[in-house]
Amino acid sequence: MSPLRIENLEVRLSRRPVIRQMSLEASAGQVVGLIGPNGAGKTTLLRAAAGLLPPAAGQIHLFGRVLADWSQAERARTLAYLPQARGAVWQIKVADLVQLGRLPHRAGWWQGPTAEDRTAVAEAMTACDVANLAERPVTELSGGELARVYLARVLATRPGLLLADEPAAGLDPAHSLDVMQLFRRRAAEGLSVVVTLHDLSLAARFCDKLVLLDRGNCAAVGAPSSVLTAERLRSVYQVETAQVTVAGETHVVPLKRTADPAVPFGNGGTVV
Amino acid sequence: MKSPEPQCEGAADQRSYAGAAATLLTGLAVLLFAISLTTGPAQLSLLATFKGLLDPADPVAGLIVWEIRLPRTLLAFLLGTVLGLSGAALQGLLRNPLAEPGLLGVSPAAAFGAVAVFYSGLAGSFALALPLGGIVGAGVAVLLLQLLAGRGGVLTLILAGVAVSSFAGALTSLALNLSPNPFATSEIVFWLLGSVADRSWQQVALALPFLVLGSGLLLSATRGLEALSLGEEAAATLGHPPKRTRGMVVFGTALAVGAATAVAGAIGFVGLIVPHLLRPLVGHRPGRLLPLAALGGGTLLLAADLCVRLLSPGPELKLGVVTALVGAPFFLLLLLRLRREIA
């Protein structure tokens, strides 16, 4: 029974289909990467999987049960979603913000955090390297620090399925490697992670499975080596790439735009 | 990697700040409540007031304390409570420290409801027509808000509030404009200023159920508001859909502020000042702010109503005038500070 199974999903935004005929499965212990150019539908797919957008057609199963059949509270304990937008409004302390990840586990309104809540929060903060920021207001953090704090928030929930939208965006190389390694470690403990990525090297090195989206369609799905072929990247991303193997790990390096006179700017032929 | 210990200490610190503030405010509220009972144009001594409190049947002291001062004092505290609470809840919902009940158009609409009752002459026909008019006005405002912004985001809600608010204001002006005699006009204008003077138990009893119900709804939005500080989508996936939180806050505000405005007229800025002052004490957490803001609002309005009686020997200052005189400059200062932070 896989944490996430999507079958023939179609999602529409103001009646326009944004995701078509999408099928995808994330097993326990797997890191699944969603890749594709801007506007390919990665975020929309993730939002639909999180239950934020209703499917126009097809099925989404969370641990074998149709997503819509889950109660709000039960789903919130099982599935954690890290949105791309990480604005902070109030000057909440980092520790308090991470603590919000435990909200789904609170029973009565009168109950404060339990020992388990505290352990989960402390562990998540340590894992994301933000324990030293605990007392700082989130409004004073840098973009990268904030991204790690928000990641700690979803980890504190201790979900079975983690949906993360661009968790590596805005992070320096060391911290983006940390984040991907953290996903790998959590996956080894049984967590299932679905993550959207722009960095193809991170996708190639840290994901068990990749789904390549192209204008709402699934262009390819499978192991990184089978998905990230130079030919496919050329047709979907309109870039020439080089694959470099260092210490047994594949890095995908974008070299230049495809010299295709029909698509000079890679945006459907419109010269802007 | 550092140990996560400091956060636990910090949390304890914060709890103790909030706890100390709650204790202090409670003590202050009790003190002000007692002073309020001994204050009034009838020069009752402290002893006479106490005797009157113990013996409601006493023809002078009992009557003054029980029929005049107690309802007024209780109403000031209760109204302050719901104004502070709804201000804090609205700020949490809209994620904007400048929000307050007037913003959603609930107070202006409630005020118009009461004005309409004045204007139609219903106010003279039965005693409860006025409060009922206010509650109906607030109810209509909420229905309009749900209709205009039930599916939209926070921006839609703010704009809908502005629309409802200006429409209610325009209707009130129309009533004043068309008023057939100057007495009706001055009655309306005075009522609009906002006051808790000369309120009876009947008015307390009429407002109380709505105040309690509304406050209950607002307090039950606590966790939803905490979740909302992460944004709407994160809140939804944390099991607190923003739509539900919004419903609780909007209806709670309508019930509580509608009933409050109906019995006392428009008393502004309490919902703006109190949450702002108390927010740092709860570590800026929008949910935990709610009970403290309620307590702070009640205390502030008790103090304001006491000032009104102590400072104005001639024609009594209206409570709403005093809160606006203090509140509007405060609002300006807040704006200036926020602008500096943004720039």
Side-chain angles (χ1 to χ4, degrees), chain A residues 47 50 52 72 76 81 89-93 95-97 100 103-104 106 108-109 111 121-122 126 131-132 134-135 150 153, chain B residues 1-2 4 6-7 10 14 91-92 95-97 223 226-227 229-230 233-234 236-241 279 283-286:
Chain A
R47 289 173 68 207
L52 293 167
Q72 293 276 1
Y81 170 64
V89 217
W90 306 112
Q91 303 165 33
I92 302 177
K93 283 182 194 164
D96 286 335
L97 190 138
L100 290 177
L103 268 184
R106 300 283 185 81
W109 57 267
Q111 279 184 342
V121 169
T126 309
N132 55 333
E135 288 302 295
Y150 272 76
R153 189 274 294 177
Chain B
M1 225 154 277
K2 288 187 183 159
Q7 59 131 340
Q14 217 171 75
Q91 291 177 11
R95 282 171 285 161
N96 186 336
R223 293 235 166 115
E226 295 269 289
S229 51
L230 290 170
E233 298 210 316
T237 51
L238 279 171
H240 295 277
R279 182 168 289 118
H284 296 264
R285 292 172 55 183

Side-chain angles (χ1 to χ4, degrees), chain B residues 79-104:
Chain B
L79 299 192
T81 301
V82 299
L83 290 174
L85 181 59
S86 54
L90 286 174
Q91 291 177 11
L93 177 74
L94 303 177
R95 282 171 285 161
N96 186 336
L98 300 179
E100 70 127 353
L103 181 88
L104 279 190

Side-chain angles (χ1 to χ4, degrees), chain B:
Chain B
M1 225 154 277
K2 288 187 183 159
S3 97
E5 266 319 299
Q7 59 131 340
C8 301
E9 274 169 36
D13 265 6
Q14 217 171 75
R15 244 195 312 279
S16 66
Y17 280 145
T23 316
L24 199 72
L25 284 173
T26 310
L28 202 59
V30 170
L31 187 70
L32 289 168
F33 201 97
I35 298 175
S36 174
L37 287 184
T38 61
T39 308
Q43 301 290 331
L44 286 184
S45 70
L46 210 64
L47 193 68
T49 309
F50 191 64
K51 272 186 182 157
L53 192 63
L54 291 181
D55 180 18
D58 183 294
V60 182
L63 194 73
I64 289 173
V65 172
W66 277 89
E67 296 305 321
I68 298 173
R69 292 182 185 173
L70 204 53
R72 173 182 193 154
T73 305
L74 199 61
L75 215 50
F77 181 72
L78 287 174
L79 299 192
T81 301
V82 299
L83 290 174
L85 181 59
S86 54
L90 286 174
Q91 291 177 11
L93 177 74
L94 303 177
R95 282 171 285 161
N96 186 336
L98 300 179
E100 70 127 353
L103 181 88
L104 279 190
V106 178
S107 323
F112 170 69
V115 166
V117 169
F118 261 127
Y119 187 72
S120 62
L122 268 174
S125 57
F126 66 109
L128 297 185
L130 184 60
L132 283 176
I135 289 167
V136 170
V140 170
V142 169
L143 291 180
L144 266 176
L145 281 175
Q146 287 293 96
L147 204 71
L148 291 170
R151 285 152 158 255
V154 161
L155 188 65
T156 327
L157 188 70
I158 294 179
L159 290 177
V162 170
V164 171
S165 176
S166 6
F167 192 53
L171 287 173
T172 305
S173 303
L174 181 70
L176 287 171
N177 196 165
L178 297 180
S179 180
N181 70 70
F183 296 109
T185 310
S186 70
E187 202 180 358
I188 292 173
V189 169
F190 270 109
W191 184 84
L192 280 173
L193 295 179
S195 168
V196 286
D198 307 321
R199 299 304 192 264
S200 67
W201 283 112
Q202 205 181 19
Q203 278 158 314
V204 175
L206 187 92
L208 194 63
F210 297 98
L211 299 182
V212 170
L213 205 64
S215 303
L217 266 174
L218 289 172
L219 284 171
S220 60
T222 300
R223 293 235 166 115
L225 292 175
E226 295 269 289
L228 256 185
S229 51
L230 290 170
E232 303 208 350
E233 298 210 316
T237 51
L238 279 171
H240 295 277
K243 208 190 268 181
R244 196 175 66 194
T245 309
R246 185 162 57 226
M248 287 194 281
V249 172
V250 167
F251 273 97
T253 302
L255 282 174
V257 176
T261 310
V263 293
I267 298 170
F269 295 102
V270 175
L272 180 79
I273 298 173
V274 170
H276 183 79
L277 291 179
L278 298 176
R279 182 168 289 118
L281 299 176
V282 291
H284 296 264
R285 292 172 55 183
R288 287 197 53 196
L289 178 60
L290 295 184
L292 204 61
L295 195 55
T299 312
L300 181 72
L301 211 57
L302 270 180
D305 188 45
L306 203 58
C307 284
V308 157
R309 277 176 288 168
L310 292 173
L311 297 182
S312 50
E316 193 178 291
L317 272 176
K318 296 289 184 187
L319 188 54
V321 176
V322 173
T323 60
L325 277 175
V326 177
F330 185 89
F331 183 64
L332 278 176
L333 277 177
L334 206 59
L335 265 181
L336 281 174
R337 229 181 67 185
L338 284 178
R339 203 184 58 172
R340 209 170 36 235
E341 270 171 30
I342 292 162

Side-chain angles (χ1 to χ4, degrees), chain A residues 41-66:
Chain A
K42 303 182 294 290
T43 297
T44 306
L45 178 57
L46 216 54
R47 289 173 68 207
L52 293 167
L53 290 173
Q59 298 270 322
I60 302 172
H61 290 271
L62 180 62
F63 286 93
R65 187 147 46 111
V66 178

